Amino acid sequence: AAALVLLIGAAGLPLWIFAPVERVPVVVAPVVNQTGYAELDGYRAALTAELVAELSGSAAVRPVPYDRELQILRRFRSGGQDVSSREAIQALAANTGARVVIAPTLLYENGAWRARGELRDAATATNAAVRETAPVVSSLIKQTAYQLMPQLTASMDAHSGLGGSILPNAAWRLT
């Protein structure tokens, strides 16, 4: 009897370990530029697309495609409104079915660049977690801003203990 239990356990363990994990639907809000460098405003869309592309390889999250985000945000762009406004983020959450909104911000403080990502519950618009990159000192404005997006993704990966109803089973593994 013990051998039968051991055999069933040995056969079932790989099935349990390699079972697919539900990919949590997330939407990435447009990157907010809080650096004081207005020339980065024109790169907000590209930085957002880069962050979506970085998250696309995740085994734990399923980001809304950037093209779909553009469709939802079209009315805000054409109306001259801020695509990172509260109304725009609410429209993204309501029209995508995402459970989590990632609100990225590019920062320049004390001579160093950082990126911050706020993970918000789409239903309540409350922050579930905040992740930041390590500060980067550089005079290369555009290149540094671009390089911070993969670092922000890595920062979210390194702090995988998000758990709860936002990201079940602490499944914030980015591969």
Side-chain angles (χ1 to χ4, degrees):
L4 180 61
V5 170
L6 184 60
L7 182 63
I8 291 172
L13 185 62
L15 293 174
W16 179 72
I17 290 175
F18 295 113
V21 176
E22 174 195 2
R23 293 179 70 197
V24 177
V26 300
V27 63
V28 178
V31 172
V32 175
N33 177 19
Q34 290 186 350
T35 64
Y37 288 92
E39 60 263 30
L40 288 175
D41 288 342
Y43 294 93
R44 290 174 57 199
L47 294 170
T48 304
E50 175 62 20
L51 191 53
V52 170
E54 287 289 325
L55 290 170
S56 294
S58 172
V61 298
R62 181 177 37 87
V64 171
Y66 184 67
D67 291 341
R68 176 68 181 126
E69 287 189 31
L70 288 177
Q71 292 171 354
I72 296 167
L73 295 173
R74 183 175 298 142
R75 68 181 167 122
F76 295 97
R77 287 185 188 275
S78 63
Q81 297 172 309
D82 182 15
V83 293
S84 296
S85 68
R86 177 176 298 212
E87 294 80 17
I89 292 174
Q90 287 174 346
L92 284 171
N95 291 299
T96 60
R99 296 188 352 219
V100 176
V101 176
I102 299 174
T105 305
L106 192 59
L107 305 160
Y108 184 73
E109 299 172 335
N110 301 322
W113 298 89
R114 289 183 300 116
R116 178 178 60 223
E118 298 175 4
L119 289 90
R120 299 177 183 168
D121 183 327
T124 63
T126 57
N127 282 359
V130 177
R131 301 293 179 243
E132 289 190 0
T133 63
V136 175
V137 177
S138 175
S139 62
L140 304 173
I141 297 170
K142 296 171 193 166
Q143 291 86 346
T144 304
Y146 177 77
Q147 291 170 351
L148 284 172
M149 294 303 107
Q151 290 179 26
L152 181 57
T153 303
S155 174
M156 291 179 193
D157 185 27
H159 297 87
S160 60
L162 299 177
S165 62
I166 298 285
L167 298 174
N169 304 322
W172 188 263
R173 298 180 316 267
L174 303 176
T175 57

